[in-house]
Amino acid sequence: MIELDNVSYGHNGTALFSQLSLTLAPGSFQFLTGPSGAGKTTLLRLCYADLRAQKGKTRLFGQDASTLDRDGVAMSRRRIGVVHQDCQFIDHLSVAENIALPLTVAGRVSEAAGNLKELLSWVGLGPQSGRLPPELSGGERQRAALARAVIMSPDVIIADEPTGNVDWEMSQRLLSLLVELNRMGKTVLIATHDLNIIRSLKSDVDARVLRLKDGQLTTAGSVL
Ligand code: ADP
Ligand code: ADP
């Protein structure tokens, strides 16, 4: 689905990592762990072509990202649902409008209504659909962000600290939604520094744990 091949990246001339490789195989479920500042968010942004590798190759759905024009990148990105760390809602639009936004922007308004109702109930936000984002709790915001990430039926879900700022019960609920998406065949990559949430995974989920530290990406094994 997505492949980083010997990629280097640094912000403002400071190298974060070099010659780093990562493969998101179809249907895989992976965690990206590592200390704060290690470059997890940066690595995720490379995966969804929000940043361009400074060296090495990024392949999105079999295509070399460096050969894609703006439209090509936009097309690929439609197949990737991103849950941003800070959710990035438009505060004057309702929760329902925020979740439907990717469909509205793509001009697929007619599909929005049906998909939306189903999605709202899946994440348990039916009663909150008319509220504004600033009125939501942390857990509600994260569930709304997840709903918005999947409304375009992406093949890949990339989530940056989806369980940050929520209590344990809500973390479990969010994780089970992500597991459910993976069971539906979606490729999932989750950045988190919450090792407890990884340990809480049921043994029937085939998850891989990667660790990014000092510019090196290592496999921490399937169980910690
Ligand atoms: P986390 O460690 O929870 O993943 P972030 O990835 O949001 O946190 O940020 C890590 C560090 O990167 C923080 O010190 C933050 O200030 C810095 N940072 C994030 N985005 C930017 C940016 N656009 N410009 C400068 N610094 C940034
Ligand atoms: P993590 O998600 O693991 O906390 P980040 O990828 O957010 O790590 O950040 C890694 C490093 O890169 C940090 O030192 C951060 O300050 C820096 N950084 C992140 N984003 C930017 C940016 N847009 N501009 C400048 N520096 C950044």
Side-chain angles (χ1 to χ4, degrees):
M1 295 265 130
I2 298 177
E3 213 179 339
L4 303 183
D5 186 6
N6 279 303
V7 161
S8 302
Y9 198 88
H11 294 284
N12 309 325
T14 313
L16 258 182
F17 35 75
S18 56
Q19 298 192 309
L20 189 148
S21 298
L22 171 65
T23 302
L24 305 192
S28 60
F29 192 98
Q30 297 183 89
F31 288 101
L32 176 63
T33 65
S36 192
K40 300 183 293 299
T41 299
T42 302
L43 191 53
L44 296 189
R45 292 177 66 194
L46 285 163
C47 287
Y48 60 88
D50 189 35
L51 295 175
R52 251 171 198 267
Q54 290 156 346
K55 277 190 200 154
K57 263 202 169 64
T58 305
R59 269 184 289 274
L60 300 173
F61 310 105
Q63 286 177 296
D64 181 343
S66 65
T67 66
L68 295 173
D69 59 11
R70 272 175 74 101
D71 285 350
V73 171
M75 292 281 275
S76 296
R77 284 190 59 178
R78 276 189 204 159
R79 297 178 64 183
I80 308 172
V82 180
V83 183
H84 298 278
Q85 197 166 17
D86 55 5
C87 297
Q88 298 187 358
F89 295 120
I90 297 176
D91 285 347
H92 65 271
L93 295 182
S94 71
V95 169
E97 287 165 336
N98 267 285
I99 294 173
L101 203 58
L103 275 177
T104 321
V105 169
R108 290 159 57 185
V109 184
S110 56
E111 293 167 56
N115 286 2
L116 191 59
K117 208 163 168 244
E118 210 174 304
L119 258 181
L120 281 165
S121 84
W122 180 64
V123 294
L125 286 179
Q128 289 85 359
S129 64
R131 296 223 207 132
L132 296 176
E135 299 165 11
L136 299 183
S137 72
E140 288 168 344
R141 288 175 72 80
Q142 291 295 346
R143 281 180 284 147
L146 182 58
R148 184 188 49 192
V150 300
I151 197 158
M152 298 289 278
S153 304
D155 300 310
V156 180
I157 319 280
I158 293 180
D160 197 355
E161 299 284 355
T163 62
N165 304 316
V166 302
D167 62 29
W168 179 246
E169 212 170 299
M170 188 52 66
S171 296
Q172 296 277 296
R173 188 160 166 196
L174 280 157
L175 184 65
S176 69
L177 291 171
L178 288 159
V179 168
E180 211 179 303
L181 288 166
N182 180 246
R183 291 221 167 96
M184 289 163 59
K186 306 208 185 276
T187 304
V188 177
L189 176 64
I190 306 168
T192 184
H193 53 237
D194 186 354
L195 296 183
N196 287 326
I197 197 80
I198 300 176
R199 290 190 192 104
S200 76
L201 257 195
K202 302 274 185 304
S203 56
D204 60 336
V205 184
D206 184 20
R208 202 155 79 106
V209 183
L210 304 168
R211 180 169 166 79
L212 181 61
K213 201 189 168 203
D214 302 328
Q216 303 289 322
L217 191 64
T218 51
T219 304
S222 50
V223 208
L224 288 177

